[in-house]
Amino acid sequence: MTAGTLHIRGGGRGRAPGERSQRTAERSVRWEWYNAAFPLMEGPRMRYLLLLLPLLSSCASPSRGAVVQGAVEVSDADRLVRDLCDKRLALLGEEANHGNGRTITFKTELIRRLVEECQYDAFFIETGIYDFLHIQARLKAGQPISEDMVASAIGGMWANQEMAPLIPFLSERLEAGTLVAGGIDDQIGRGTYAQRQMTQELISSLEGPRQAECGAELERHMSWKYDDAHPYTAESVKFMLGCCKEMESALSRPGAAATPMTQGQLQMVRNLERNFTRQVAEMTRASEQTGGTQDWSAFNERSRSMFMNLEWLLSRSPTPRKAIVWLATIHAAKDLKGLDTDARHGISFGSYVHERFGAQSFVLGFSALSGSYSIGSTARTRTIEPAQAGSLEGQAFSSHTSDTRYLDGSQLRDFGPRVARPLNYSWMTAPWATVMDGLLVFREETPSHPVTR
């Protein structure tokens, strides 16, 4: 036998002579090509190679269906990090009352891993934009920030023990410049810079008596010191809206200092405008409403405002950011139209994200088989009734004994339309894969534990 032609003894049994000669010719061509490519593989070397090939092939990979000895089970957290790692936006939802201890604990650890392992470099949260803009202006001016500032910026809704580990984690990276943070909402939180100091800094852009007039009305609103002599009405909100428009004009006129502080103040004023515009519209609708289904206009307008803030925050970076967004799942949802409740009339923040970023974004929801939760950071708690056997939560733990169960997008699609409660612990039916990209279900949820700031 030569290295150029491989003769197979007895291989032609049962074949026509023409077929046998054709196959031999094909093999001859293949080996002639191999001999030309690897001229040293002749004689004994070729025989050794032929003997080794079956052995090498059997060692290359286990047979299909074989179990690899010593394989480590992948945790739900590991699966989630894998699913989120290559995304540009990770929307981390939670039940609408924001008082879910296990959910918050899981999310704080997930954020740490996304930052450290996947190079996420932005953290945004469903809270007022104002305090974080103040923090960014201080950082750009070379002024120090404190953990208390970051905690206040996050807001009292998450003033709990479970959120506490995230505060120093964010503060350290904000100081180092390796991460940016921001609020996406236009609402005002209690005990914040926005409530205590922002008004005096913003009205300095006004001149003459308007400074005092606008300052008095805005301060009354921020501290909520309305009384019979000064009631909270649509007219008072319209007055403040007019003040904000005047401040916007002053801050954006040609020649105004384009400092980080001024740019931040301009964004603050624009958010106040959207907030007051929505309040006026809501008060007007309330006076005209005669009953029927819930009006989702305010929700929809707020969703649009939050997305406008996200776009603005992302635009501040010269290079694309990888951003984590912390918010309620009803806001994070990709689409609410498939729900069988009035919520189907809502246009979510997440729908704008999904339209803009598509597969570069990921929506993660949370739910529970049973347990309890708190109302925000208060001591008031509510019981979560045990999940129905045929619900998404019930099916998630069918034949499973773990404490958590992560359903990815493929699994959610396989379940199809099913009753579940990831939005506010109220049962509703939807094709959940159209609402979120993944769902983490806890066997038992627990209330968050409030702290005093």
Side-chain angles (χ1 to χ4, degrees):
M1 180 178 71
T2 67
T5 304
L6 182 62
H7 297 284
I8 308 295
R9 292 185 179 181
R13 182 176 299 175
R15 296 192 181 94
E19 179 183 359
R20 185 164 58 247
S21 61
Q22 179 181 356
R23 290 177 180 272
T24 302
E26 289 172 353
R27 291 190 183 99
S28 177
V29 169
R30 284 197 295 269
W31 284 109
E32 286 172 0
W33 171 88
Y34 192 92
N35 189 45
F38 302 98
L40 294 179
M41 292 296 181
E42 298 179 41
R45 290 187 179 88
M46 177 59 72
R47 287 194 291 273
Y48 295 150
L49 176 62
L50 292 172
L51 289 171
L52 283 172
L53 281 175
L55 178 62
L56 293 172
S57 177
S58 67
C59 294
S61 60
S63 61
R64 181 170 296 182
V67 177
V68 179
Q69 296 297 319
V72 178
E73 183 180 354
V74 179
S75 69
D76 286 333
D78 290 336
R79 290 178 61 205
L80 268 167
V81 170
R82 179 196 63 197
D83 286 353
L84 290 166
C85 211
D86 65 345
K87 303 300 181 183
R88 187 176 170 194
L89 276 91
L91 277 59
L92 308 185
E94 62 190 25
E95 191 271 336
N97 286 286
H98 304 288
N100 309 279
R102 289 203 65 191
T103 297
I104 297 172
T105 298
F106 187 94
K107 286 168 67 174
T108 56
E109 174 59 17
L110 179 59
I111 288 170
R112 182 193 66 78
R113 291 190 61 181
L114 292 178
V115 171
E116 294 181 349
E117 299 175 29
C118 304
Q119 292 74 55
Y120 276 78
D121 57 359
F123 171 80
F124 304 134
I125 185 168
E126 182 199 336
T127 194
I129 193 172
Y130 315 98
D131 282 51
F132 277 114
L133 288 176
H134 177 63
I135 286 174
Q136 287 297 335
R138 289 182 63 90
L139 289 170
K140 287 183 180 297
Q143 298 173 341
I145 64 169
S146 67
E147 291 183 10
D148 285 343
M149 287 181 180
V150 175
S152 294
I154 287 174
M157 186 68 72
W158 294 278
N160 53 58
Q161 295 176 19
E162 291 75 13
M163 191 69 148
L166 190 61
I167 307 302
F169 180 86
L170 294 175
S171 301
E172 178 184 337
R173 284 156 183 77
L174 285 168
E175 287 270 23
T178 59
L179 179 141
V180 297
I184 59 171
D185 209 346
D186 58 30
Q187 299 187 127
I188 305 292
R190 293 182 180 179
T192 59
Y193 151 84
Q195 186 190 34
R196 296 189 301 254
Q197 300 169 243
M198 181 177 67
T199 297
Q200 289 304 312
E201 294 181 7
L202 293 181
I203 62 171
S204 63
S205 62
L206 300 177
E207 297 177 352
R210 290 296 287 170
Q211 187 175 114
E213 293 167 358
C214 290
E217 196 64 43
L218 285 166
E219 288 285 11
R220 183 179 296 112
H221 183 75
M222 295 300 177
S223 57
W224 204 254
K225 290 183 178 179
Y226 292 105
D227 53 30
D228 292 340
H230 305 91
Y232 175 64
T233 65
E235 292 305 314
S236 65
V237 180
K238 288 178 183 177
F239 180 86
M240 291 185 289
L241 178 57
C243 292
C244 291
K245 289 181 178 179
E246 291 177 37
M247 288 187 285
E248 180 186 12
S249 178
L251 290 167
S252 58
R253 68 177 181 267
T259 64
M261 179 172 289
T262 302
Q263 292 171 358
Q265 288 178 342
L266 183 58
Q267 190 66 10
M268 291 177 192
V269 168
R270 287 171 174 164
N271 271 269
L272 287 173
E273 285 182 38
R274 295 201 293 267
N275 184 292
F276 291 144
T277 299
R278 192 168 65 249
Q279 287 185 45
V280 170
E282 197 167 2
M283 294 168 81
T284 303
R285 284 192 298 265
S287 65
E288 299 172 349
Q289 196 167 359
T290 58
T293 59
Q294 179 182 344
D295 191 323
W296 285 81
S297 299
F299 176 91
N300 297 344
E301 291 158 6
R302 183 175 167 222
S303 295
R304 180 61 185 168
S305 178
M306 289 195 291
F307 182 69
M308 289 171 69
N309 282 331
L310 175 70
E311 287 194 305
W312 185 85
L313 289 165
L314 292 175
S315 73
R316 308 304 292 169
S317 173
T319 57
R321 293 277 184 187
K322 292 185 67 173
I324 297 161
V325 187
W326 179 309
L327 71 174
T329 307
I330 195 167
H331 294 303
K334 296 187 293 184
D335 192 350
L336 296 172
K337 291 192 292 291
L339 300 174
D340 67 345
T341 67
D342 278 352
R344 67 182 179 275
H345 301 297
I347 301 173
S348 63
F349 163 87
S351 68
Y352 292 109
V353 173
H354 185 63
E355 181 181 2
R356 168 69 175 80
F357 295 96
Q360 289 183 300
S361 62
F362 189 102
V363 177
L364 175 64
F366 292 83
S367 191
L369 192 67
S370 63
S372 56
Y373 63 97
S374 62
I375 307 301
S377 59
T378 71
R380 292 177 293 160
T381 62
R382 300 286 186 274
T383 299
I384 304 170
E385 65 177 81
Q388 305 169 18
S391 67
L392 189 59
E393 291 84 353
Q395 287 296 300
F397 280 100
S398 177
S399 303
H400 288 272
T401 59
S402 57
D403 288 334
T404 61
R405 185 88 162 89
Y406 171 52
L407 304 177
D408 62 22
S410 175
Q411 291 169 304
L412 290 175
R413 283 189 293 275
D414 289 344
F415 274 114
R418 192 172 291 264
V419 65
R421 55 183 180 192
L423 301 187
N424 59 5
Y425 292 137
S426 296
W427 294 113
M428 57 190 74
T429 301
W432 292 102
T434 68
V435 179
M436 60 193 77
D437 298 297
L439 175 67
L440 185 74
V441 186
F442 294 101
R443 182 173 292 278
E444 183 178 5
E445 183 59 273
T446 59
S448 57
H449 299 83
V451 295
T452 303
R453 288 177 181 165

